[in-house]
Amino acid sequence: MHELSICQSLVDQVEQIALSHGAKSVASVNLKIGPLSGIEPTLMQHAYPYASAGTLAAESTLVIELAPLIVRCEICGAETEAQPNCLVCGVCGDYHTKLVSGDEMTLMRVELITLEARNDV
Amino acid sequence: MCNTCGCNITRGNQSFAHKVVNGTTAVAVLDNLLAKNNDQATHNRQHFDKHRLLVINLMSSPGSGKTALLEATIDAFRNEYRIGVIEGDLETENDAERIRIKGVPAYQITTGTACHLDAHMVHDALHQFPLETLDLLFIENVGNLVCPASFDLGQHRNVILLSVTEGDDKPAKYPVMFRAANLLLVTKSDLLPVLDDFSLERAELNLRKLSSIAPIKLLSARRNLNLQAWLDWLSSELAQQRERIRRGETVWPQLEPDSVHSHVETI
């Protein structure tokens, strides 16, 4: 249950980016979250309005893209989808696999509402 | 200047960096959500390496025997290694006091309501320690199989305890935590004769399903059963850490995507 503190540090990060670009506010924040990241996307969505209240990100939308869980087998080379508690190869069943995707917790993109742009409109 | 926060974007290249559409500017970031914690953890790790320390993060459920394991380890290594302990709990100095009775420096972090230690808390605790006089530093994390797994503290190895009373399916229930293990200790083995529902084979199968190659050791700290296997693992890890320091290298507890092969060779 650390989603609120992660959300608060996310909002800090986003505000710094907004300030460094002279933005008026933040329109949207895009994250990519994998099932093995330890972060629950639903809880992030619940926490976001509280963490962003009173900041440049207050009116922004949090968009979470779910990363698929994919492993590559070191024995047979196959890339298959997996489950969080079963990361064995979907083809040969060996457990010597590497995670290709699934533990991401990445801030991908921020959309800013910029002062210059407002002047253009 | 970096490529993540936007500080590399200047007035000169700004028009190339961002596409302005209908009054909004999209900025690509690609930064980890725990970047701040991870930066602090990297700093802690440099600090540990400078002092030639091996740092172990102990994680488990509350009550699976982390402090008892430390007490037995301190007794066994009394004449071999100099040990320090950072204790994490929501409240009380109880665990640090148990360690201090053994004559070992211990610092208690009380987190209040926080369910895990983070790299900043550990950094603050380091100032209370004579790091230059230690060989091994244990960080006993808050008893919790969820949150501590996500926070790098700067440690070199993660050791996860699973007591036999908890059940052999814990790795399947808490995959993020058990995936992080460099070593799994199945503790309270002296209770196995009275438990008919814990199977070491099933526990191992559940761990392997997480694609984990971590070794598993069964022991009882209280009854001093099979403690030697754990002590040998620690001595071997400390020797490897010193060899890394000699070469100017360090190690992260969790596998980098391309380091699985080299890790296999070390076991």
Side-chain angles (χ1 to χ4, degrees), chain A residues 1-2 6 9-10 12-13 17 20-21 27 31 33 36-39 44 74 84-88 95-99 105-114 117, chain B residues 5-6 9 14 18 20 23-36 115-116 146-147 150-151 172 175-176 179 208-213 257-258 260-261:
Chain A
M1 292 289 279
H2 48 261
I6 290 178
S9 104
L10 166 68
D12 284 349
Q13 211 172 340
I17 294 167
S20 73
H21 289 84
L31 308 182
I33 307 254
L36 282 175
S37 66
I39 296 179
M44 281 295 277
E74 296 192 283
N85 61 7
C86 190
L87 301 171
V88 299
Y95 71 87
H96 291 92
T97 62
K98 279 190 204 172
L99 204 62
M105 47 166 116
T106 314
L107 170 56
M108 301 296 290
R109 202 174 68 247
V110 178
E111 277 188 5
L112 304 171
I113 297 169
T114 52
Chain B
C5 76
I9 293 157
Q14 196 165 27
H18 312 306
V20 180
T24 66
T25 303
V27 182
V29 188
L30 295 176
D31 209 351
N32 189 292
L33 291 185
L34 293 174
K36 237 179 180 174
C115 49
H116 59 270
V146 188
C147 312
S150 301
F151 291 83
V176 177
R179 251 189 96 232
R208 298 293 169 239
K209 278 185 173 176
L210 306 181
S211 184
S212 170
I213 53 172
D258 296 317
V260 172
H261 286 296

Side-chain angles (χ1 to χ4, degrees), chain B residues 192-254:
Chain B
L192 273 178
V194 291
L195 296 170
D196 56 7
D197 56 352
F198 186 94
S199 148
L200 188 62
E201 291 71 32
R202 276 200 302 268
E204 171 156 17
L205 184 65
N206 284 324
L207 183 71
R208 298 293 169 239
K209 278 185 173 176
L210 306 181
S211 184
S212 170
I213 53 172
I216 301 178
K217 302 192 189 300
L218 178 71
L219 57 81
S220 165
R222 276 282 175 89
R223 299 279 176 263
N224 213 347
L225 300 174
N226 200 28
L227 210 59
Q228 196 57 45
W230 150 246
L231 301 174
D232 290 346
W233 182 88
L234 272 177
S235 296
S236 154
E237 284 293 332
L238 183 60
Q240 289 174 49
Q241 167 68 356
R242 287 183 169 163
E243 178 57 23
R244 278 191 296 267
I245 291 167
R246 205 182 55 74
R247 294 196 304 262
E249 295 170 6
T250 191
V251 70
W252 278 257
Q254 270 162 309

Side-chain angles (χ1 to χ4, degrees), chain B residues 14-227:
Chain B
Q14 196 165 27
S15 57
F16 303 105
H18 312 306
K19 200 175 162 199
V20 180
V21 183
N22 296 332
T24 66
T25 303
V27 182
V29 188
L30 295 176
D31 209 351
N32 189 292
L33 291 185
L34 293 174
K36 237 179 180 174
N37 182 76
N38 293 348
D39 288 348
Q40 180 65 61
T42 300
H43 172 81
N44 292 356
R45 195 170 282 111
Q46 287 166 350
H47 209 51
F48 297 143
D49 290 344
K50 199 178 104 190
H51 289 99
R52 289 171 42 84
L53 276 175
L54 173 69
V55 181
I56 306 278
N57 183 14
L58 287 179
M59 296 184 281
S60 76
S61 310
S64 58
K66 295 186 291 300
T67 315
L69 178 75
L70 286 176
E71 288 171 321
T73 308
I74 290 164
D75 285 341
F77 277 156
R78 188 163 297 283
N79 298 319
E80 285 180 70
Y81 304 125
R82 298 161 301 173
I83 296 176
V85 179
I86 294 176
E87 291 284 349
D89 277 302
L90 271 61
E91 293 292 348
T92 83
E93 283 266 333
N94 295 357
D95 284 358
E97 280 165 11
R98 280 172 63 182
I99 299 298
R100 282 187 207 118
I101 288 172
K102 298 278 177 190
V104 157
Y107 182 75
Q108 179 82 47
I109 301 175
T110 47
T111 61
T113 56
C115 49
H116 59 270
L117 296 179
D118 68 26
H120 295 90
M121 294 181 203
V122 169
H123 183 255
D124 290 345
L126 294 184
H127 294 298
Q128 316 292 327
F129 269 96
L131 288 186
E132 60 283 355
T133 66
L134 300 179
D135 300 306
L136 272 167
L137 178 67
F138 291 99
I139 304 172
E140 184 183 330
N141 218 311
V142 178
N144 177 353
L145 286 178
V146 188
C147 312
S150 301
F151 291 83
D152 185 6
L153 308 177
Q155 77 275 20
H156 302 105
R157 290 294 180 221
N158 289 330
V159 174
I160 300 180
L161 283 70
L162 167 62
S163 61
V164 294
T165 53
E166 292 170 62
D168 49 34
D169 59 350
K170 278 289 179 294
K173 288 177 172 170
Y174 298 90
V176 177
M177 172 60 77
F178 283 91
R179 251 189 96 232
N182 296 113
L183 171 68
L184 179 68
L185 294 179
V186 178
T187 59
K188 306 189 185 181
S189 64
D190 53 311
L191 298 179
L192 273 178
V194 291
L195 296 170
D196 56 7
D197 56 352
F198 186 94
S199 148
L200 188 62
E201 291 71 32
R202 276 200 302 268
E204 171 156 17
L205 184 65
N206 284 324
L207 183 71
R208 298 293 169 239
K209 278 185 173 176
L210 306 181
S211 184
S212 170
I213 53 172
I216 301 178
K217 302 192 189 300
L218 178 71
L219 57 81
S220 165
R222 276 282 175 89
R223 299 279 176 263
N224 213 347
L225 300 174
N226 200 28
L227 210 59

